[in-house]
């Protein structure tokens, strides 16, 4: 069976741990594991702009011995109306895996349905599972273990990052708190699924409206941009709605003394997070960005070798 990774719950708790353990080994010796030697090609399809995803997957594929075939939205026949299914049929006959950064989750589901090689979600409007795997790895690397930790996400809890956090952290056995204004709560279906997963791992998922209460004694604090791609026209309204949810030094000070801070980047200093927190001693944000490389190498290796 071909192993696709379209959303966070496509990995079980055991599989999630396997990928993270492999990431730790690959970080220790970046060039020791080369399942793509040949070189085999991996298609990187970008319907959306990218910095960290493009760099980390391109470098990672090369370090695994492969060749990253980068396809931007305007440079292929998808831009002229060719279907995802037809594009995927061609790619999967010539490439060893397909990594796709896109808009609607349905495009990834369609690709997986017509692919004979692994399809990996590099970001969709619904989920950002590779990023959250890197976040799990970063926190585990820092604390030694993620299970049982309290994680607070502040800001837009209706976002793809929040949905991925809900699922992945539940699988990892964490206690996840979402703190968001009215109208920015997590997707109800995702929340229900996350709570079902958490019940099996002794984790939990909760909604807390007060930022001061949400961060109390938390081990990990995370946020994301308040204005994502396509939301620029709602900028003033969203800034007003999220006032009070900014990660400041004072708010971080209400978390556990050992608490750390995450942000998937790009960050807007002075909006969702202050520069003092982003660059401060609690920040693991630059480790988090680097760890995309190691985790995605592990994920590709795992999907190719187990698939």
């Amino acid at each position: 069976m071909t192993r696709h990774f379209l959303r966070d719950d496509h990995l079980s708790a055991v599989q999630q741990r396997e990928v993270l353990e492999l990431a730790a080994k690959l970080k220790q010796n970046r060039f020791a594991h080369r399942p793509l030697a040949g070189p085999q090609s991996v298609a990187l399809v970008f319907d959306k702009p990218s910095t960290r995803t493009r760099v980390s997957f391109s470098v990672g594929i090369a370090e695994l011995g492969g060749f990253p075939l980068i396809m931007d939205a305007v440079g292929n026949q998808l831009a002229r109306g060719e279907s995802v299914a037809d594009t995927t049929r061609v790619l999967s006959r010539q490439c060893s895996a397909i990594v796709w950064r896109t808009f609607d989750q349905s495009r990834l589901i369609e690709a997986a349905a017509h692919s004979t090689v692994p399809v990996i979600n590099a970001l969709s409007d619904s989920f950002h599972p590779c990023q959250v795997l890197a976040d799990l790895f970063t926190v585990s690397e820092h604390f030694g273990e993620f299970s049982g930790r309290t994680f607070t996400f502040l800001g837009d809890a209706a976002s793809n990052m929040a949905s991925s956090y809900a699922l992945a952290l539940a699988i990892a056995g964490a206690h996840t708190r979402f703190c968001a204004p009215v109208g920015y709560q997590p997707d109800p279906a995702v929340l229900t699924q996350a709570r079902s997963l958490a019940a099996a791992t002794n984790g939990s998922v909760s909604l807390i409206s007060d930022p001061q209460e949400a961060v109390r004694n938390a081990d990990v604090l995370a946020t994301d941009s308040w204005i994502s791609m396509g939301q620029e026209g709602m900028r003033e309204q969203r800034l007003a709605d999220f006032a009070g949810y900014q990660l400041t030094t004072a708010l971080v000070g209400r978390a556990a003394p050992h608490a750390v801070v995450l942000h998937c980047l790009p960050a807007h200093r002075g909006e969702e997070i202050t520069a003092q927190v982003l660059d401060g001693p609690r920040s693991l944000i630059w480790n988090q960005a680097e760890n995309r490389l190691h985790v995605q190498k592990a994920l590709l290796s795992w999907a190719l070798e187990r698939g």
Side-chain angles (χ1 to χ4, degrees):
M1 183 180 83
T2 301
R3 290 192 179 275
H4 305 300
F5 185 56
L6 309 186
R7 46 187 279 166
D8 306 79
D9 54 352
H10 284 178
L11 293 179
S12 68
V14 171
Q15 292 166 341
Q16 185 188 81
R17 185 175 292 275
E18 286 176 353
V19 171
L20 298 181
E21 288 175 351
L22 179 55
K25 294 177 182 177
L26 297 183
K27 187 171 183 176
Q28 288 295 316
N29 191 340
R30 285 173 57 168
F31 304 101
H33 193 62
R34 295 173 66 80
L36 291 170
Q40 300 176 52
S41 296
V42 175
L44 300 178
V45 186
F46 291 99
D47 296 337
K48 286 187 172 186
S50 171
T51 297
R52 277 149 294 277
T53 298
R54 184 186 296 256
V55 171
S56 57
F57 266 114
S58 297
V59 172
I61 290 162
E63 291 186 359
L64 292 175
F67 173 76
L69 173 65
I70 298 174
M71 300 173 60
D72 285 311
V74 297
N76 61 71
Q77 296 296 337
L78 285 163
R80 300 182 66 244
E82 183 173 40
S83 70
V84 168
D86 287 353
T87 299
T88 302
R89 288 185 179 102
V90 172
L91 292 177
S92 65
R93 284 175 176 241
Q94 301 184 48
C95 300
S96 296
I98 300 169
V99 177
W100 210 312
R101 180 180 174 95
T102 191
F103 294 91
D104 197 275
Q105 184 77 5
S106 64
R107 291 171 67 80
L108 294 165
I109 295 170
E110 183 179 357
H114 294 89
S115 179
T116 57
V117 299
V119 176
I120 292 175
N121 179 0
L123 176 142
S124 70
D125 289 345
S126 298
F127 301 100
H128 199 355
C130 290
Q131 176 65 62
V132 171
L133 269 181
D135 296 1
L136 283 169
F137 179 67
T138 302
V139 172
S140 299
E141 186 179 48
H142 182 79
F143 285 122
E145 181 60 62
F146 204 114
S147 178
R149 294 286 176 183
T150 298
F151 178 100
T152 297
F153 178 87
L154 298 104
D156 186 0
S159 66
N160 53 5
M161 278 297 296
S163 291
S164 277
Y165 276 136
L167 296 177
L169 271 59
I171 293 166
H175 300 291
T176 308
R177 303 169 179 171
F178 290 105
C179 183
V182 174
Y184 299 95
Q185 301 296 323
D187 181 304
V190 172
L191 196 60
T192 297
Q193 175 68 5
R195 284 174 167 160
S196 176
L197 291 167
T201 61
N202 296 316
S204 64
V205 184
S206 59
L207 307 180
I208 301 176
S209 58
D210 179 11
Q212 304 288 324
E213 177 63 21
V215 303
R216 185 170 61 86
N217 296 325
D219 300 298
V220 184
L221 307 178
T223 190
D224 190 10
S225 171
W226 292 342
I227 299 103
S228 296
M229 285 179 281
Q231 298 173 338
E232 292 81 5
M234 299 178 281
R235 176 179 176 79
E236 295 308 317
Q237 181 62 56
R238 292 177 73 88
L239 289 177
D241 290 344
F242 288 115
Y245 291 83
Q246 184 186 65
L247 267 182
T248 63
T249 301
L251 192 60
V252 172
R254 296 183 65 87
H258 57 261
V260 296
V261 174
L262 301 178
H263 191 306
C264 67
L265 301 175
H268 299 81
R269 296 165 186 258
E271 290 184 9
E272 73 275 5
I273 189 169
T274 64
Q276 291 84 357
V277 173
L278 183 69
D279 299 320
R282 306 272 197 122
S283 173
L284 294 183
I285 292 166
W286 310 112
N287 293 17
Q288 180 188 2
E290 177 197 338
N291 285 335
R292 287 285 299 276
L293 169 67
H294 311 300
V295 165
Q296 289 163 183
K297 286 173 65 179
L299 178 64
L300 270 171
S301 299
W302 183 87
L304 289 165
E305 294 168 349
R306 299 295 183 94

